[in-house]
Amino acid sequence: MINILTNFDFNQAKAQSAIPKQPLTVRSDVQEANSETGVITARGNVYINYPARDLQATSAQAQYFSRERRLVLNGNVYVLQEGNTMRAETMTYLIDEGRFIATPETKQQVESVYLVDETENK
């Protein structure tokens, strides 16, 4: 049985220096927003675009916890950021830290593809 928990940091420096009040767009079949808790839930064919972090994602469901600045994606999650990609069953994006935490389905793995600059070590 393979069960991996991955901490994924695409660009923490970029996260800390991001300009405040940038749009995070969520498209889905259904959305609910709770003004008391600050939680927005999107279900069905979820697409997320966050240009300030050069981030795009798709999933079956997403919840944005506005007070915690945390995005939780569930169901066939795919994230693209600055050419790097990650696939998982569940992924949490901690916006202020610029950090991803990904977990796979049971007996599966998380997959990441990183762009590596070959000229750095030459």
Side-chain angles (χ1 to χ4, degrees), residues 27-105:
R27 292 190 196 119
S28 65
D29 295 338
V30 176
Q31 291 186 28
E32 300 171 15
N34 185 321
S35 60
E36 289 184 23
T37 63
V39 177
I40 299 165
T41 302
R43 291 184 189 89
N45 300 305
V46 177
Y47 171 78
I48 295 171
N49 186 26
Y50 191 15
R53 305 286 169 89
D54 193 17
L55 172 72
Q56 296 176 359
T58 59
S59 66
Q61 177 179 307
Q63 286 189 296
Y64 176 58
F65 297 83
S66 63
R67 293 181 184 146
E68 300 168 25
R69 294 178 44 85
R70 177 171 51 106
L71 181 63
V72 179
L73 307 166
N74 291 295
N76 196 27
V77 179
Y78 175 78
V79 172
L80 170 66
Q81 187 179 44
E82 298 179 354
N84 301 300
T85 64
M86 180 180 268
R87 291 185 185 276
E89 182 59 22
T90 301
M91 196 172 312
T92 300
Y93 179 49
L94 306 172
I95 294 172
D96 291 332
E97 297 177 32
R99 185 166 58 112
F100 291 88
I101 302 166
T103 54
E105 284 188 80

Side-chain angles (χ1 to χ4, degrees), residues 115-122:
L115 296 178
V116 178
D117 186 356
E118 292 295 324
T119 60
E120 287 183 18
N121 294 326
K122 291 184 180 182

